[in-house]
Amino acid sequence: MRKPRSTLITTAGMAFAAALGLLVSFAGPSVGEAEAAPTGIRVSDGHVVEANGNEFVMRGVNHAHTWYPERTNSIADIAAKGANTVRVVLSSGDRWTRTSASEVSSLIGQCKANKVICVLEVHDTTGYGEDGAATTLDRAADYWIGIKGALQGQEDYVIVNIGNEPFGNTGYAAWTDATKSAIGKLRGAGISHALMVDAPNWGQDWSGTMRDNAASVFASDPDRNTIFSIHMYGVYDTATEVQGYLKHFVDNGLPIVVGEFGDQHSDGNPDEDAIMATAQSLGVGYIGWSWSGNGSGVEYLDMVNGFDANSLTSWGNRIINGADGIAATSETATVYGGGGGTGGGTAPNGYPYCVNGGSSDPDGDGWGWENSRSCVVRGSGADR
């Protein structure tokens, strides 16, 4: 999304209903094409998997590191709420202060220490073509190549999200070629990580550009290791739109993640219940926006107040403790010793986590009751 302090968020597009109604089918890649070398996080048969072949379904939170580098506890706080993924905002230096290679190494170390997968993204590309301050995917690729040393050897723990929302609502037809070029540039430079690519139209793809060209973009990656990311805000205000978009990718054997979404927005009211339920039913990852620090009238997107992990907002409580939320559906990556699949797991005090999160705990004391036994609400005061 457009972020955060001085850039006001406007309507992502008015023609979404017609655009999303024209779901064009195409043949996805064959199973053989979708298989990457078994190193690190990769794509296999349309699914995101770890090196051992275990499917990894992202349940995560975005963290605006580049604007709040002093908030060094945020990754740990997010992990403590049960997330298995943190999408970290970086800067190539084209618009904000460049995130150095040493800083990236530190962030990766924090992710590993807290047993979450790091999705690292360059934010300077946001709204290119419409926002004059935005930079190109090519420049973002240069950034990744410039910090290659911090990334090498981290393929089990890091996904490289090339550039956030790389086109606005102007010039977005260039998305396909620009994305293919950036992928080729990174692969040519020896970056073998799983790559993530955001949709145009401020990430919401109301034009169907990413949807209709995803197969050719995927095939352009010599490693066949590219994940597509849709951002769901006001364009996705009905279950039909949410389901139609995500199911199109799943049905065509193409990996898709909801890389950002919220429970309300200035361009319309996203259907967060449908987003989370559909992602869960299809085995699709989601990463909510965002932990804290939103400004310019979208403070309602904060999950916690003032970076205080003990002060959940209504949105934070919804995504963490609600139905199909992080606490109920997140599983730690097996590279950290997680078991894979979905379910509650066991709290440090030996009691099982509540699969249904806060809905099992009507009095809010952190203790619930499921399957004829006590359970712990993940991230609550009882979770110790």
Side-chain angles (χ1 to χ4, degrees):
M1 65 177 292
R2 309 188 199 189
K3 320 284 193 305
R5 301 182 181 179
S6 61
T7 307
L8 184 62
I9 299 176
T10 60
T11 301
M14 279 76 77
F16 64 88
L20 291 175
L22 298 173
L23 292 180
V24 180
S25 63
F26 52 82
S30 69
V31 172
E33 287 180 308
E35 296 287 352
T39 57
I41 298 168
R42 59 194 172 95
V43 173
S44 177
D45 196 22
H47 300 277
V48 179
V49 303
E50 296 181 72
N52 62 5
N54 186 78
E55 185 169 4
F56 180 69
V57 180
M58 296 178 216
R59 290 288 180 264
V61 172
N62 282 272
H63 168 50
H65 168 79
T66 200
W67 303 303
Y68 301 102
E70 74 281 4
R71 297 294 183 175
T72 55
N73 291 328
S74 291
I75 290 175
D77 289 341
I78 292 167
K81 296 298 184 185
N84 64 17
T85 304
V86 179
R87 182 171 180 257
V88 185
V89 177
L90 309 180
S91 174
S92 61
D94 290 282
R95 186 165 186 177
W96 296 285
T97 301
R98 179 183 173 90
T99 311
S100 68
S102 61
E103 198 173 354
V104 170
S105 291
S106 176
L107 289 164
I108 294 171
Q110 290 175 50
C111 285
K112 292 167 72 172
N114 290 285
K115 300 183 178 181
V116 293
I117 297 300
C118 250
V119 177
L120 303 176
E121 61 102 341
V122 163
H123 216 80
D124 306 59
T125 57
T126 306
Y128 178 75
E130 185 174 350
D131 188 332
T135 195
T136 64
L137 280 173
D138 189 65
R139 285 286 297 165
D142 287 339
Y143 169 77
W144 294 117
I145 294 168
I147 64 161
K148 178 181 172 181
L151 302 173
Q152 287 181 312
Q154 306 301 327
E155 291 84 357
D156 284 338
Y157 310 97
V158 171
I159 296 169
V160 174
N161 190 171
I162 302 176
N164 183 70
E165 301 177 1
F167 286 86
N169 295 323
T170 303
Y172 56 82
W175 176 89
T176 302
D177 287 343
T179 301
K180 289 178 179 179
S181 178
I183 292 170
K185 192 170 191 175
L186 293 177
R187 295 303 187 214
I191 292 177
S192 59
H193 296 68
L195 302 177
M196 185 179 289
V197 295
D198 283 8
N201 309 128
W202 300 99
Q204 297 201 78
D205 201 29
W206 57 259
S207 65
T209 300
M210 183 172 82
R211 181 197 65 206
D212 297 343
N213 293 283
S216 69
V217 170
F218 186 86
S220 77
D221 179 357
D223 291 355
R224 303 298 193 270
N225 200 16
T226 296
I227 303 161
F228 298 93
S229 175
I230 183 67
H231 294 181
M232 289 188 161
Y233 294 105
V235 171
Y236 299 92
D237 59 355
T238 70
T240 298
E241 290 153 357
V242 171
Q243 294 163 2
Y245 195 91
L246 296 180
K247 195 169 184 296
H248 179 77
F249 279 77
V250 172
D251 288 349
N252 285 281
L254 292 162
I256 184 72
V257 169
V258 183
E260 289 186 18
F261 71 106
D263 65 339
Q264 55 181 304
H265 206 37
S266 56
D267 68 345
N269 185 15
D271 190 341
E272 71 279 3
D273 293 340
I275 293 167
M276 295 166 71
T278 303
Q280 180 65 12
S281 68
L282 295 177
V284 167
Y286 66 66
I287 310 172
W289 187 275
S290 71
W291 185 240
S292 198
N294 289 284
S296 298
V298 294
E299 290 82 358
Y300 51 76
L301 288 170
D302 284 359
M303 295 179 190
V304 298
N305 294 300
F307 290 91
D308 182 354
N310 296 313
S311 182
L312 286 173
T313 65
S314 60
W315 168 224
N317 189 56
R318 170 67 189 91
I319 190 173
I320 293 168
N321 296 319
D324 303 304
I326 287 170
T329 66
S330 176
E331 281 293 336
T332 302
T334 59
V335 72
Y336 296 123
T342 58
T346 304
N349 61 18
Y351 285 85
Y353 281 120
C354 301
V355 173
N356 294 314
S359 63
S360 300
D361 177 27
D363 59 1
D365 67 353
W367 290 93
W369 183 260
E370 289 179 352
N371 300 318
S372 301
R373 61 180 180 175
S374 295
C375 59
V376 173
V377 176
R378 194 185 297 267
S380 71
D383 188 9
R384 59 171 67 97

